Amino acid sequence: NGLPLWTEVFDEVISFAPVVERLRRWMQHPQLVNTWAIEKMEGTPWGGWHRGLNPDDYSVRAGRIRTRMLNCVYFLTDNDADDGCLAVVPGAHKSEIDLPTQGYRSRELPGTVRVTGKAGDILMFSETLLHNGASKSSSRHRTNLYFNYIDSTYNPAMRELLAGNQGNV
């Protein structure tokens, strides 16, 4: 979580008005909780399929999207399909069906879409979305910055604790 400690430039990134506006549409009180950078080199294999939260932490009610955790990805370089771009399974953020991710380590799940973009683009997605990093076969340089937000009214540790103690309450 150290990117904002490197330089004051990250204060401007964090407070970029279009991103803050979207964050506030999707969360009551967005709070930055984690930052990191991913730089991929040629030959980097697929990662592991994952999501930060369960699909029940995403909803659409009366036309309003709500998510309790959101990733903002800043493309510092182009992200083409062979550059190790983000891969997602559309609709997985809404599904209660567990996909067999264990059998797909180092490869695409059926229905995978590779998310591409140009340097300067910003991608925002709910952490309830099943995602992965694709393999990188190009020799081009690829770097992204990741800013992870959680709704400050949400405490996943307490939720899991309460869910586990339902019979004891």
Side-chain angles (χ1 to χ4, degrees):
N1 199 21
L3 291 180
L5 302 176
W6 287 358
T7 174
E8 292 178 2
V9 169
F10 288 111
D11 293 343
E12 293 179 39
V13 173
I14 294 166
S15 62
F16 186 53
V19 171
V20 171
E21 179 184 324
R22 178 62 52 98
L23 284 166
R24 289 188 174 143
R25 275 194 248 151
W26 289 8
M27 298 178 163
Q28 289 180 353
H29 303 285
Q31 177 180 342
L32 181 66
V33 293
N34 200 8
T35 63
W36 64 96
I38 296 178
E39 184 174 33
K40 284 196 169 179
M41 304 300 176
E42 186 175 6
T44 302
W46 278 85
W49 289 98
H50 62 282
R51 58 170 50 114
L53 295 175
N54 292 325
D56 55 349
D57 287 315
Y58 172 91
S59 66
V60 179
R61 302 281 187 273
R64 283 194 72 136
I65 296 171
R66 288 286 187 215
T67 186
R68 291 184 171 148
M69 188 182 290
L70 191 79
N71 257 331
C72 297
V73 184
Y74 293 78
F75 294 1
L76 298 186
T77 57
D78 290 351
N79 281 237
D80 293 327
D82 57 350
D83 286 333
C85 63
L86 181 73
V88 301
V89 178
H93 61 295
K94 302 176 191 178
S95 176
E96 293 294 326
I97 299 170
D98 287 326
L99 299 173
T101 58
Q102 303 83 2
Y104 288 89
R105 178 105 179 125
S106 300
R107 61 190 184 116
E108 292 187 33
L109 276 163
T112 294
V113 172
R114 292 179 187 223
V115 181
T116 60
K118 298 294 180 192
D121 287 349
I122 300 171
L123 168 69
M124 299 175 79
F125 67 94
S126 171
E127 265 292 327
T128 60
L129 180 65
L130 198 57
H131 59 283
N132 192 351
S135 62
K136 186 172 186 324
S137 59
S138 76
S139 60
R140 292 180 297 273
H141 187 77
R142 203 278 276 164
T143 304
N144 292 338
L145 299 179
Y146 295 77
F147 292 78
N148 188 243
Y149 293 84
I150 193 165
D151 192 307
S152 66
T153 63
Y154 175 64
N155 183 336
M158 288 303 295
R159 178 173 179 230
E160 297 304 320
L161 178 64
L162 292 174
N165 287 328
Q166 287 178 349
N168 299 330
V169 177

